[in-house]
Amino acid sequence: MQEDKYADAAKHDKNKGGFGMKLVKKDDFLNFVNTLIKNDSRTVVGVKSKRNKFIYDTLNSADELRLEYDVTMLSPNKYFLPPTETLLRYDFTGKFSVQAVNEVTPLIIIGIHPYDLIAIEQMDKVFKDSNPDYNYIRKREASILIGTNIQNVSSYAFSGSMGAATTDRGFDLMLTNIGDKYAIEIGSIKGKNLIEKYAKVSEADNDTTREVQRIKTEIGSKFEKQLNFSSEELPKLLEENYDNELWEKNAQKCLSCGSCNFVCPTCYCFDVQDITELNLKTGERIRTWDGCLLEDFAKVATGENFRKDRAARYRHRFMRKGKYLYDKFGFIACIGCGRCASSCLPDIADPCKVFNSLKEVIE
Amino acid sequence: MNNDSIYLPRAATIKNINRFTELENLFEITLDDGNPLGHKPGQFVEVSIMGIGEAPISVSSSPTQSQTFELCVRRVGNVTNAMHRLKKGDKVGIRGPFGIGFDTEFLKDKDILFICGGLGIVPLRSLINYVFEHRADYRKVTILYGCKAPHELLFTNEVTAWGQRKDTELHLTVDAVPEGEHWNYNVGVITTLIPKVDFDINTTYAVVCGPPIMYKFVIKSLKERDLPDDHIILSLERRMKCGVGKCGHCQINGIYVCQDGPVFNYTEIKDLQEAL
């Protein structure tokens, strides 16, 4: 039943514009959001400001929405693979009592940039392909994704080079800022129903469609940072540079802090721990985010650490983004958001810089 | 509705505990739902001790023995230490079996050279016993088994019985014999046994499992005897935390050991620098 969403997305991909485009005045859009907050059973989250940064958080009012943001600290994937999540609940009072837990809060997420929508699509594949992980899938399927085309580009971002500055799919609705209105592309039946139920919209004319197209075409060139080559070359480039001295050179500065992992929308590694209540009767098995840059990531109980060198761990992350996951799933797991680059104190995590350096060395 | 969780263990009961050494116990376990584990030799399970955690453990028994299965566990971490505190009749959680085991069909009509170092006997014993139960399907069987010291030898009664079989060649070795211990066999690391056995490189497949450090030296010794790369089969150890190819801890380059292994043909991993 929930599979329909993906069928919709696929259909939409084939017949682009199948669900059409609407126009909404900005005031009416704010009303729409406020109505969702007030009347819809789902929790409404969106991009808000926090100090001088942006975050995804629960919206109390449409006024809090900051759709002109450049990039958020974490991606909306934190709602589908939360930093800490209960997988099981156990009870010691019986002989062996364990129950699976899947805490799903249905969400409407507003303001997702195209690169993050693409990251979500990639994670869908990771968690749905073999061995479906319903802790992820159920959260994902209970959500509505409202995207927005990029208005301001982060100085760390290079999504234009990763083919992730815009997207034609993976959203239920997609907003484009056009003066005093938003154009709304409808990406699914779910999105269509939401508009019909809550929003005051008009039909988009051909001029609007052209304007949206123009804005989308322009975004790609607004990124200051660019790969100096086609991202399609990445898997081969990385393969050829497995033994490049750059890994060792950069890794000398690596703090093994894992920040680059934790902010990445396509990092999904996790650890699992049992947390027993103080009453010693019940407890929970939880999963928490883990990162391959952390020293103990590949260490086994006997003490053997299969990736004990910083350089090996540092290389692993780039290889994973540009080659390993590509070989396994067919996508390059870097969408150029620049979050890792901005979170790295020694400034060695920037994939754009690393990839360009590798390319230079080769030529 | 939540029973579709891939992280939910099945209840199982410890039927028997056989104390092997100071560090290793053999646990005989049965699933409470009455089903056989349904594993292949070389596969592993995730054992849960609720409140402590989960650990990947190789299945040590042959699948032919279907009512129960056996796990030989060395106490080294939180979960395995907790397991050693359990008694007959206690419950554990089991997920799996996971991974790719040994290809028992492929090995038919081949000569098999088992090379087991230390705990490496644990997964290999599953295959060794399977081969003995289907002895006519396999040709020459040679077993090399080495430990650090005589008192570390596992499955001693069984190993002695293997040595008495007319259809099997068994060589034992220890790295050293501490004072007060008796040993009638070879002394030296496991590779010192390889020159002592006679094998036909065209029909022999070496099946190797041991501590990480062992592989390089064993492979080198086998190569010195001109055994082709694709005649070497190994089982690798990694931190297989989730068992279902998601958590990322067991990755060797692009390979997930918990799904793509733990059993590999040497040709699959010889070019991966992180593998051996």
Side-chain angles (χ1 to χ4, degrees), chain A residues 133 138 285 290 307 320, chain B residues 4 7 48 249 251 273:
Chain A
D133 181 321
R138 300 248 188 278
R285 180 163 293 174
D290 205 348
R307 225 176 281 117
R320 190 172 152 100
Chain B
D4 51 14
Y7 306 109
S48 272
H249 289 94
Q251 235 185 319
Q273 286 187 23

Side-chain angles (χ1 to χ4, degrees), chain A residues 206-224:
Chain A
N206 284 341
D207 283 350
T208 307
T209 318
R210 269 195 295 275
E211 176 62 2
V212 168
Q213 204 45 56
R214 188 191 63 78
I215 288 170
K216 284 168 81 168
T217 313
E218 247 180 42
I219 292 167
S221 60
K222 286 188 179 164
F223 291 81
E224 281 167 43

Side-chain angles (χ1 to χ4, degrees), chain A residues 87-90 92 95-102 125-135 138 242-243 268-276 285 287 290 296-302 304 306-307 312-313 315-316 319-320 324-325 328-329, chain B residues 1-12 32 48-54 74 76-77 80 89-95 119 212-213 237-254 256 259-260 272-275:
Chain A
L87 298 176
L88 306 173
R89 203 162 280 138
Y90 52 86
F92 293 128
K95 255 275 181 196
F96 183 86
S97 169
V98 188
Q99 269 157 0
V101 176
N102 198 350
K125 204 165 165 53
V126 167
F127 285 99
K128 279 175 71 95
D129 259 20
S130 53
N131 301 319
D133 181 321
Y134 288 99
N135 283 78
R138 300 248 188 278
Y242 189 84
D243 292 317
Y268 58 89
C269 290
F270 57 84
D271 193 19
V272 179
Q273 295 166 20
D274 284 8
I275 309 288
T276 301
R285 180 163 293 174
R287 74 167 152 201
D290 205 348
D296 288 351
F297 186 77
K299 196 173 173 181
V300 295
T302 50
E304 187 86 27
F306 291 98
R307 225 176 281 117
R313 296 196 297 275
R315 171 179 60 198
H316 183 73
M319 297 299 287
R320 190 172 152 100
Y324 302 156
L325 292 183
K328 194 171 162 74
F329 295 108
Chain B
M1 116 143 217
N2 280 326
N3 289 335
D4 51 14
S5 169
I6 46 177
Y7 306 109
L8 182 66
R10 287 186 279 174
D32 287 2
S48 272
I49 308 286
M50 300 321 295
I52 306 289
E54 224 177 14
R74 174 179 287 179
V76 282
T80 49
D90 282 346
K91 302 284 182 187
V92 293
I94 297 288
R95 287 193 301 128
L119 271 187
I213 184 80
E237 179 191 10
R238 283 299 183 276
R239 187 176 164 196
M240 297 174 289
K241 187 99 197 183
C242 75
V244 287
K246 305 274 190 253
C247 82
H249 289 94
C250 70
Q251 235 185 319
I252 299 175
N253 301 89
Y256 284 79
Q259 293 280 294
D260 305 322
L272 303 180
Q273 286 187 23
E274 289 182 359

Side-chain angles (χ1 to χ4, degrees), chain B residues 127-138:
Chain B
L127 178 62
I128 291 170
N129 280 344
Y130 181 90
V131 167
F132 285 149
E133 285 151 6
H134 304 83
R135 190 63 188 88
D137 293 339
Y138 302 89

